[in-house]
Amino acid sequence: MRNGSGRRPRRVAVIGVGILGACVGWNLARRGAEVVLIDAGRPGEGVTNWSFSWVNASNKTVTRSYFDLNAAGMAAHRELAGIIGPDSWWYPSGHLRWADDPAAEAKFLETAELLGSWGYRVEVSTGAEVRRRLEPALALPDEVPVVLYPDEAWVHGRHLVDRLVGQVVAGGGELRSGTEVRGIGTGVDGSVRTVALSDGSRLDVDVIVNAAGPSASHVAGLVARRLPMRREPGVVARIDCAQVPIHRAMHAPHIEMRPDGDASMVLHSREIDALIDTGEEPAELARLLQELVRPVVPGLAHSRIAQVQVAYRPIPADGFPSVGGVPSVPGYYEAVSHSGITLGPVIGRLLAAEILTGERDELLADFRPERFPQ
Ligand SMILES: Cc1cc2nc3c(=O)[nH]c(=O)nc-3n(C[C@H](O)[C@H](O)[C@H](O)COP(=O)(O)OP(=O)(O)OC[C@H]3O[C@@H](n4cnc5c(N)ncnc54)[C@H](O)[C@@H]3O)c2cc1C
């Protein structure tokens, strides 16, 4: 094992235990590294718990390399489910999308065709067929084209994090929750040496992984690094319903929805996100989400809003992940990304390999931290 300064890492501190930190930590521990997971709050309760949590590459066609990384993310989820078991976190039930205006419809059908030409599995059917075969509770026009991506999924992020952290700790790793990293000490050669925690303790480490999600820019600042990030809040509501009437994640016109367990659903809408900065109260935003879902799933007429949260997407300024070591600070690595639910398992695997062997995977070539000028 080698860290950025060529020394063998004795101890790796992972700062932030959302899906990214948990996946990196689990892969490191599995390969024999000594891991300390540190979270200012509780593992899995950051943005990972307030995500639409859709595992996909169909919405990632902006560049071929970003699509490839997300497709590898989907495969890594399947592999992870095979290793740790799928119970309570992995729901590979596919994804549906349809629209109620011709421009949006033309665009998603064009994307579906492109994806098909890239070897991505896609099926196009009609509203009537979808109701008959897959989702009887939906109210959608009989003739409307509906795209089904059968290999997509949704993930229960908090349950996955709990499972991974449990395995790290069972294998001898350490979890420090409820304590924040306030400082990072470096040696004369600039390499990482210590982390200082808000509980007053100081840990000797050889490697740190910045997986602090929306706070990653602040943590980067602790090693005098500039990690520019976007401000892009989203609002997510959970509704309680006696029985969840849908079986998979879907983009209906104006509203995204998915199951969230046996008696709960998650709602999200980019249209409602756009109201966050108008000063509208979260409770009102949740009510608007509920209003948008009712015409699509009439059976939800008597659902109850259980929780609502405005969360910040952890997005580096150019919209792409920042993953890998930073050569000017030996021992410092980043795992910061939007679409972190899709990408967690693949980033975890590739970054752990890079930390322990020094090998930089080609899949991450366009997403290296060095691209941000210092
Ligand atoms: C509305 C919305 C919808 C989304 N939909 C999707 C989707 O459909 N599919 C998808 O793939 N992605 C989606 N995302 C993005 C995805 O949720 C995130 O990319 C992912 O959850 C990020 O995980 P993380 O581990 O980086 O961050 P987090 O889960 O926030 O974890 C970071 C952790 O770091 C801790 N921390 C911060 N600072 C410190 C410190 N100084 N010391 C110690 N601990 C610290 C925090 O307490 C937190 O627990 C969505 C995001 C939003 C907001």
Side-chain angles (χ1 to χ4, degrees):
M1 298 193 289
R2 293 284 177 268
N3 75 358
S5 63
R7 288 177 296 115
R8 179 185 169 84
R10 282 171 293 130
R11 199 183 202 192
V12 183
V14 179
I15 305 173
V17 196
I19 190 165
L20 285 175
C23 286
V24 177
W26 181 83
N27 276 280
L28 285 165
R30 202 161 175 253
R31 298 182 61 145
E34 184 185 338
V35 175
V36 192
L37 302 170
I38 306 167
D39 200 284
R42 283 199 297 224
E45 297 201 351
V47 62
T48 293
N49 193 35
W50 297 104
S51 177
F52 185 56
S53 232
W54 165 38
V55 174
N56 79 95
S58 62
N59 213 25
K60 315 293 167 62
T61 52
V62 57
T63 64
R64 184 62 203 243
S65 61
Y66 191 48
F67 168 81
D68 288 344
L69 184 64
N70 280 274
M74 293 168 65
H77 268 287
R78 288 190 287 270
E79 193 184 324
L80 184 61
I83 299 170
I84 66 171
D87 310 347
S88 83
W89 69 272
W90 174 237
Y91 298 90
S93 36
H95 181 266
L96 296 173
R97 184 189 281 269
W98 71 101
D100 65 357
D101 82 271
E105 186 176 295
K107 193 160 183 290
F108 81 67
L109 289 174
E110 193 184 309
T111 303
E113 205 176 312
L114 173 73
L115 287 161
S117 75
W118 287 355
Y120 199 75
R121 284 218 300 152
V122 49
E123 294 168 18
V124 182
S125 60
T126 62
E129 243 179 287
V130 162
R131 234 188 357 262
R132 187 172 54 78
R133 277 200 305 129
L134 303 172
E135 297 285 1
L138 292 181
L140 74 179
D142 283 354
E143 297 308 322
V144 73
V146 183
V147 164
L148 167 68
Y149 292 109
D151 296 332
E152 296 184 351
W154 69 271
V155 158
H156 196 298
R158 194 162 41 80
H159 289 171
L160 172 56
V161 169
D162 282 351
R163 180 81 59 90
L164 296 174
V165 169
Q167 293 201 356
V168 171
V169 171
E174 199 181 337
L175 170 66
R176 301 256 189 144
S177 54
T179 184
E180 187 187 338
V181 171
R182 291 262 171 89
I184 297 170
T186 51
V188 280
D189 63 348
S191 65
V192 165
R193 289 280 192 272
T194 56
V195 288
L197 305 183
S198 57
D199 64 8
S201 58
R202 185 180 295 273
L203 310 177
D204 291 330
V205 296
D206 305 282
V207 168
I208 60 168
V209 178
N210 177 356
S215 303
S217 169
H218 172 74
V219 170
L222 300 178
V223 292
R225 168 169 156 75
R226 195 178 143 268
L227 171 61
M229 288 178 64
R230 288 185 189 167
R231 182 185 175 284
E232 236 182 78
V235 60
V236 165
R238 285 196 167 86
I239 55 171
D240 284 345
C241 33
Q243 204 180 358
V244 176
I246 58 165
H247 305 289
R248 51 186 51 74
M250 56 189 87
H251 275 64
H254 316 291
I255 184 84
E256 299 158 27
M257 57 187 151
R258 65 163 170 86
D260 191 49
D262 293 338
S264 171
M265 279 176 61
V266 159
L267 307 181
H268 173 253
S269 166
R270 286 273 178 180
E271 292 170 31
I272 304 301
D273 287 354
L275 301 178
I276 293 171
D277 287 336
T278 64
E280 205 63 88
E281 288 295 321
E284 174 59 9
L285 299 174
R287 199 190 61 73
L288 294 171
L289 286 168
Q290 200 180 21
E291 229 168 63
L292 288 175
V293 82
R294 280 180 179 144
V296 189
V297 190
L300 289 174
H302 302 295
S303 60
R304 194 183 66 85
I305 297 163
Q307 295 177 311
V308 59
Q309 178 81 26
V310 172
Y312 290 83
R313 296 173 173 89
I315 314 187
D318 59 5
F320 293 110
S322 181
V323 183
V326 173
S328 57
V329 189
Y332 170 84
Y333 294 80
E334 277 171 5
V336 183
S337 183
H338 183 50
S339 292
I341 300 288
T342 302
L343 295 175
V346 69
I347 287 178
R349 177 161 51 74
L350 299 180
L351 189 56
E354 178 173 332
I355 291 169
L356 299 178
T357 68
E359 272 164 36
R360 292 157 59 107
D361 197 285
E362 258 310 292
L363 262 180
L364 294 175
D366 287 351
F367 311 112
R368 294 258 153 222
E370 302 100 290
R371 71 183 187 277
F372 297 110
Q374 295 300 299

